[in-house]
Amino acid sequence: MDIPVLCLDTCAILDILRDPGRSDVRVHDHEASLALLSAAQSGKVLQVIVAEQVIREFGNNVEQVQQDARQGLVRRTRETEKLNALVALYGESQPIDLTHWSDHEKRARNMAERWLEVGTTIRETPDTVPSAFRRLNQARTPARRGKQSMKDCVILETYLEHLRSLRDTGRNAIAVFVSSNTRDYAASDRTTIKDDIKHEFESLGLEYAPNMGAARGILKLS
């Protein structure tokens, strides 16, 4: 039986360690991420592939993202401590234990890096950059007019090329591309791929997931 393939965009990995207090964070997605990582580490039910460009972008951004997460946690810790002290003035004090928040961003980074470790690096071919440049010039998703999207195009072309080679060798397992960059990839419903490249995805049996929770649902992995 063919093993399903999960293609990771940079934002899907960095989301793991972004400030956990952001309004768009969902516990469900983090639970799904941990479950999918465990499935990939088993080596039996899920193959993770990571484009070279994703690894470069992760390395260029991880320190800043971790720092932002740490600052967010410190800010919320101070706010909670102040609120706790104020409320205690008007009634019985029941301090909130926040010690488990300590070093969260370090543990989250460790999990993000484990995704890169378990993934198979997909190298760019001589055709990757020219194909990405054509996509950019044609303003095809993920490119948009007035936006520099070359790096995003390189990532997508890397995966499309790899999937073509898999299909040519008879591997027909489901493949999922997960990217929380819904502005560039998602249709108006924010859950499906934009119409202009839907045929590219369908021809390769590639599904789009806007988050790890959706990816887990498509892959049907518990």
Side-chain angles (χ1 to χ4, degrees), residues 201-217:
F201 275 53
E202 290 177 345
S203 67
L204 293 171
L206 178 61
E207 300 280 350
Y208 169 68
N211 50 60
M212 289 291 193
R216 184 185 188 186

Side-chain angles (χ1 to χ4, degrees), residues 84-121:
N84 188 61
L86 188 150
V87 172
L89 294 174
Y90 295 87
E92 183 178 352
S93 177
Q94 293 181 330
I96 301 172
D97 184 6
L98 301 179
T99 55
H100 62 294
W101 288 17
S102 177
D103 292 336
H104 165 79
E105 78 285 354
K106 295 179 182 178
R107 297 190 296 272
R109 176 171 176 169
N110 177 263
M111 287 298 173
E113 290 174 341
R114 283 171 61 184
W115 273 107
L116 299 183
E117 292 168 2
V118 76
T120 299
T121 302

Side-chain angles (χ1 to χ4, degrees), residues 133-146:
F133 189 69
R134 283 195 297 273
R135 183 177 294 273
L136 181 67
N137 277 342
Q138 296 167 2
R140 284 186 292 129
T141 298
R144 289 186 284 119
R145 298 201 183 281

